Structure formats: C-alpha cells, structure tokens
Amino acid sequence: MTVRECTRCIMNSAVDPDIVLTDGVCNHCRRYDALLESRVVPVEQRPAKLAQVVEAIARAGKGKEYDCIIGVSGGVDSSYVALQVKRLGLRPLAVHVDNGWNSALAVLNIERLLRVLDIDLHTEVLRLDEFYDLQRSFLWASTPDADIPSDHAIQATLWKVAREHGVRFIISGMNFATESISVPSWSYGHSDWRYLNDVHRRFGRVALRTYPHFGFVTLAWTTFVRRVRIVSILNYLEYDKSKAMGELVEQLGWVPYEGKHYESIFTRWVQGFYLPRKFGIDKRRGHYSDLINSGQISRADALAAVADSDYSDRLRLEDEILLLKKLSLTPAQLTEIVERPASSYRDYRNSYGFVQFLRGMVNRLRRLGLYPR
C-alpha cells in the first residue's frame, strides 16, 4: 500500500491510517491553523493577556498558602512552567505523582528544580500493586495507549490537591506549540474512567481501591462548583523548546534526556519500542510535526531526526528487565503481549462521544474568551 504523506509536516498514513490529505496538506496541519488563534495568544496581546491571567490567579489565591498548582515530572515542559510561574511572582505548590517509574535523572532534575526555585512539593505515591496491575491490564488489552493509567492518575491528583488546598488554578505544561497533534488511534482515554475501568475489569487482578481517578461527576463538581481552571501558561509566551531547554540547563542545572518523555522508564519503553514495533506508531513524527508548524524546525531536519531510533537495544533490554519485575511478567508473556493482534479503545466500553462533546465545548468557550487558554 502506498504511504500518503503530508507535504507540510511529517505525518503520514503509515503512522496514522485515518490521515486526510487536502492538496497535500494533512488534517493535523489544517487543525493547527484553525485552532491557533484560540489557543495561542497573538504576540502583540501577550503582555496584557498574561498580566490579566496572573492577576486573576493572585487575586483568587489571596490569603492562601498557594495560589496555583503545578505538576512536575522532571521533563522540559513542566520544568519550564515552574521557572515561569516563579518569574511571574506566583506562589505554586508542585505536585508529583510517583508511579514507580521515575528515571534517576528525572529524580535529580526535580530535586534541583524545586531547590533552586524554592517551591514546596506534594508527592502522591501510588499504591504500586494496584497501579502496576492497571498498567499490566492495558498491555494485555493490546491498545496503543499504555500510558493512560499514568496520565489519568496525574490529572486526578492535580484536581484533588487543588480542591484540598482551595486553589482555583492549575498551571499546565500542555502547550499548542509543541503538543497540538491529537490522534485518537494513538492515545485515547485520559479523561475516560469508563474506558479505564472496562480494561481493568477484563484483565485486572487487583482491586483499584486507592488509584486516583475521576468520572464526569467529579469533573463537573471540580470545574463548575469549585471553579478550578487549567491554564496553559506556555500559550501566553513565545515557547521555543530548544531555548527553554537552554534556560533550564543554565539557570537550574537541569540535565536533558535522550528523548521526549524519557523521564519515565515505562514511557520510554512504550514510545521507544512498544509502539513502533507493535503498532507502527512513531510519536516523534507528531512531536516534530508540531515543531514544524510552530516554526521551530524545518521539515528536512525533522525527517532526518526520525530516520534513526533514539532508543538503543541496550537500553531496551535494561528497561525490560525492570518491566518484567515490576509488572510480574515472564519473558514469554511479554513476547506474547508484543505479538498479539492490536486492539483499539473502540473494542472496550468508553465515553468517546461525550468526551469529544466536552472538548468541543471547551474549545468554543476558548474562542469566546470565557475559558483560559
């Protein structure tokens, strides 16, 4: 079958079978153009808009120990958010979810970041027998979104901590410049507890008594009653990833990783080996396509970057030793997981339609200026 490739970015039909090309340009690039104005603040408006957001956060947090919550993973985006909120004079509480997969470098980067910036830390340590059972369930489910258990727990924890401290703003590292491409067939379910629960119901063995999670009732309560808002502060700035990394290195002693999201051992195995080997998915194509659209890299340089793997066989073998131990799998079982036919979130109970409705509603509110970017 002929591979259809976008002439503007490096997404193609091999990594995204649902890609749609119009005059050579893919749906992801066209979506980027359509949403850019509502997601990223125009350059000339940034100082005023950012000042308004900071003033709203400070006003809502007056008299409280913290005025905002930030998640920290040790990665580029969250680390740069921490640096920026301190520059803006805000009083953040950092939240880290310890799921047992932190690399040694991630731990070091988090420690340096918080020490230099003098930010308090709340660490949510997951009950690992439950969490590993959910991760194992997703591997047996044979879907490409194996990192959903981590993503869901992080979001649930951020909202929980915000409610506990009476904080109305969560400052997110999500940003349109480097994370605009969304491919449901790659990763779905971050907010869909029905989907996670069904996967675990089919393949799990340990009851999820303490695993942080949320459904739509909790989401509605947090958003509309407690009025907690997520602000993507990087959308109010000129966010250049390479320059941000340079600032982190120079000012905080932050140490770069070999690949995107390699602060997590499990994630680097998933993105470095599992997704390309089993599903033909190279998430670097999405990442570099975002950088192309935001003018941070050329298409030729992006193609050169994805030509070779940044995940060595030596590192994969080291990670798999840990994977087998933590998830209580045998080498034969791991081979079976990798080789078994691929599935999709569509093969399990889910709330995809309602999730898309909520996202559409938030996008409309953003365009009307009624929801932070």
Side-chain angles (χ1 to χ4, degrees):
M1 182 180 296
T2 302
V3 175
R4 294 171 290 114
E5 188 162 76
C6 180
T7 58
R8 177 168 145 184
C9 71
I10 59 171
M11 292 293 287
N12 60 37
S13 59
V15 295
D16 179 13
D18 298 322
I19 195 169
V20 177
L21 298 176
T22 304
D23 296 327
V25 179
C26 74
N27 53 301
H28 302 294
C29 289
R30 286 185 282 107
R31 176 180 178 272
Y32 179 92
D33 293 339
L35 294 179
L36 181 62
E37 185 177 350
S38 65
R39 294 293 184 88
V40 179
V41 179
V43 175
E44 67 278 3
Q45 298 178 21
R46 284 174 187 166
K49 293 288 187 181
L50 181 58
Q52 290 175 5
V53 170
V54 171
E55 195 277 332
I57 295 172
R59 184 174 62 248
K62 188 175 181 179
K64 299 174 182 176
E65 188 174 7
Y66 309 104
D67 54 22
C68 59
I69 302 293
I70 60 173
V72 290
S73 66
V76 180
D77 298 339
S78 67
S79 297
Y80 198 64
V81 164
L83 178 61
Q84 289 301 321
V85 295
K86 289 295 287 188
R87 284 176 173 173
L88 293 168
L90 297 173
R91 296 175 289 108
L93 171 64
V95 175
H96 176 68
V97 176
D98 184 352
N99 64 5
W101 291 104
N102 288 331
S103 67
L105 181 53
V107 173
L108 178 64
N109 277 335
I110 291 172
E111 289 177 349
R112 285 177 175 171
L113 172 80
L114 300 179
R115 182 179 67 251
V116 175
L117 296 178
D118 190 25
I119 296 176
D120 291 342
L121 175 66
H122 170 94
T123 300
E124 188 84 4
V125 181
L126 301 187
R127 181 167 167 172
L128 296 183
D129 60 335
E130 294 183 20
F131 181 69
Y132 290 160
D133 189 63
L134 184 56
Q135 284 191 306
R136 185 171 52 242
S137 297
F138 265 82
L139 291 179
W140 282 117
S142 207
T143 63
D145 43 18
D147 254 325
I148 289 299
S150 290
D151 296 335
H152 189 88
I154 290 169
Q155 189 59 63
T157 300
L158 289 171
W159 274 329
K160 184 193 76 169
V161 174
R163 292 193 302 267
E164 290 174 348
H165 287 271
V167 174
R168 285 192 48 216
F169 290 91
I170 297 171
I171 312 298
S172 169
M174 293 292 293
N175 65 93
F176 199 67
T178 69
E179 296 181 321
S180 64
I181 285 183
S182 176
V183 185
S185 62
W186 285 8
S187 183
Y188 165 77
H190 304 78
S191 302
D192 194 341
W193 174 238
R194 184 186 186 198
Y195 170 50
L196 276 85
N197 197 39
D198 192 51
V199 168
H200 185 258
R201 179 185 63 83
R202 297 200 198 186
F203 299 101
R205 302 180 304 210
V206 179
L208 301 180
R209 294 190 174 90
T210 67
Y211 171 73
H213 65 277
F214 62 93
F216 295 121
V217 172
T218 302
L219 178 60
W221 171 265
T222 302
T223 303
F224 298 110
V225 179
R226 301 300 297 272
R227 295 188 298 161
V228 177
R229 294 289 183 268
I230 297 175
V231 177
S232 298
I233 202 77
L234 301 181
N235 288 336
Y236 292 79
L237 305 169
E238 187 65 37
Y239 184 51
D240 184 292
K241 197 125 188 174
S242 62
K243 291 180 181 178
M245 291 173 66
E247 287 187 59
L248 292 173
V249 170
E250 180 181 349
Q251 299 188 30
L252 305 176
W254 184 88
V255 181
Y257 303 90
E258 294 180 354
K260 184 175 172 64
H261 293 317
Y262 275 26
E263 60 267 26
S264 164
I265 296 171
F266 182 77
T267 301
R268 76 185 180 198
W269 177 81
V270 168
Q271 295 193 10
F273 171 73
Y274 183 61
L275 292 182
R277 170 66 176 78
K278 182 180 176 73
F279 302 96
I281 295 172
D282 186 346
K283 283 199 168 183
R284 295 178 302 166
R285 283 191 172 266
H287 170 58
Y288 285 119
S289 291
D290 286 332
L291 295 181
I292 291 170
N293 280 326
S294 59
Q296 299 185 37
I297 192 174
S298 70
R299 188 173 187 274
D301 287 343
L303 287 171
V306 299
D308 298 312
S309 173
D310 58 6
Y311 190 57
S312 67
D313 290 338
R314 176 195 58 79
L315 185 57
R316 176 175 68 85
L317 292 174
E318 290 178 5
D319 290 349
E320 286 184 353
I321 290 173
L322 197 59
L323 188 81
L324 295 174
K325 179 180 179 181
K326 287 180 177 287
L327 300 189
S328 301
L329 294 169
T330 66
Q333 286 175 322
L334 187 59
T335 298
E336 181 183 352
I337 285 170
V338 173
E339 298 296 336
R340 65 192 284 140
S343 295
S344 159
Y345 70 89
R346 299 178 182 89
D347 298 314
Y348 302 92
R349 296 175 182 171
N350 65 77
S351 302
Y352 178 79
F354 190 58
V355 169
Q356 295 306 108
F357 167 77
L358 290 178
R359 287 178 178 170
M361 184 170 64
V362 169
N363 286 334
R364 287 191 290 273
L365 291 174
R366 282 197 180 106
R367 285 193 290 270
L368 293 171
L370 301 176
Y371 195 91
R373 301 184 189 226

